Amino acid sequence: MDHSTSAEQPAEPVPPDFPAFAVSRGRHLLRTAFLLTGGDAHLAEDLVQEALGRIFVKWRRISRLDNPSGYAQTVLVNTFLSYRRRRSSSERVTDTLPDIAVDGPDPALRLTLLRALGELPAQDRAVLVLRFWEDRSVEETAAALRLSSTAVRSRSSRALARMRATLGESLGDGGEAGGDTGGRATTDPTDRKAVLGRVL
């Protein structure tokens, strides 16, 4: 019997709505990755590509979720954390920042903020980015990072204290200065999200 017809089946076609999703969310994912990596643009691009690859293989299910964009952000953060765990045994501490663009409205603040973010432990950095850049609640951040709400509050307070020591008054005093309230970050233009946004 001729078994020539048992050749490998053709690859499943790309869902037509996935490329549009990747294009529409790609820039925001890249900005988030840029903050997570402490300003390493090349690593940020790699993380976004890996995250989108993970999303693609489950896209038919993900596309039916209420908030595919939020799910994509969670995948990106977990991709970053898993990368950090893989690198933790071989990386060396350095005070040299990677090459980054500094053509924003406040280059000095941009570099200072990226340096401060880069000095934080990876999970603390992820907490700050989700809370104050992604504007997630404590509970949403806890779910994304598989932490308790108490752990998120503790990490947030500790990370903010370290950031404040570096940035001083530029960080602002709203939202969680006296402890995490459990709600979302404030939306005042001078709050911490605005400070994070100024690095992009």
Side-chain angles (χ1 to χ4, degrees):
M1 180 181 294
D2 183 6
H3 295 284
S4 60
T5 59
S6 62
E8 183 178 343
Q9 294 295 319
E12 187 175 356
V14 177
D17 52 343
F18 178 78
F21 174 83
V23 169
S24 66
R25 297 303 300 169
R27 183 172 178 82
H28 187 85
L29 289 170
L30 187 59
R31 287 177 171 177
T32 301
F34 188 75
L35 289 173
L36 288 170
T37 60
D40 188 333
H42 299 296
L43 177 56
E45 291 174 355
D46 290 344
L47 292 175
V48 170
Q49 289 182 1
E50 183 174 344
L52 287 174
R54 294 182 181 185
I55 293 165
F56 170 74
V57 298
K58 300 180 180 179
W59 178 245
R60 294 190 187 281
R61 177 176 63 82
I62 294 171
S63 64
R64 294 193 291 269
L65 297 175
D66 291 336
N67 185 12
S69 297
Y71 185 90
Q73 294 298 131
T74 298
V75 171
L76 175 64
V77 171
N78 287 328
T79 301
F80 162 71
L81 291 175
S82 65
Y83 170 84
R84 295 296 298 175
R85 284 192 291 270
R86 293 196 303 269
R87 294 285 295 173
S88 62
S89 61
S90 60
E91 67 182 10
R92 292 178 298 175
V93 177
T94 176
D95 60 359
T96 303
L97 284 173
D99 292 335
I100 53 175
V102 292
D103 56 351
D106 192 340
L109 176 61
R110 178 189 182 98
L111 288 172
T112 301
L113 177 56
L114 289 173
R115 183 182 297 277
L117 281 172
E119 292 174 352
L120 294 175
Q123 204 156 38
D124 289 1
R125 199 184 315 168
V127 166
L128 289 192
V129 170
L130 286 175
R131 290 285 288 125
F132 299 109
W133 172 246
E134 292 299 325
D135 201 24
R136 301 275 190 101
S137 69
V138 169
E139 291 73 19
E140 290 169 338
T141 301
L145 298 177
R146 298 181 179 90
L147 297 172
S148 68
S149 295
T150 300
V152 168
R153 291 189 180 95
S154 175
R155 286 182 175 276
S156 179
S157 296
R158 179 177 60 201
L160 287 173
R162 291 185 61 176
M163 294 284 287
R164 191 176 292 109
T166 301
L167 297 175
E169 295 302 319
S170 298
L171 187 61
D173 294 319
E176 299 184 21
D180 201 314
T181 63
R184 293 182 180 276
T186 73
T187 55
D188 186 274
T190 61
D191 72 3
R192 298 183 188 96
K193 183 177 179 182
V195 175
L196 286 177
R198 290 167 73 180
V199 308
L200 302 173

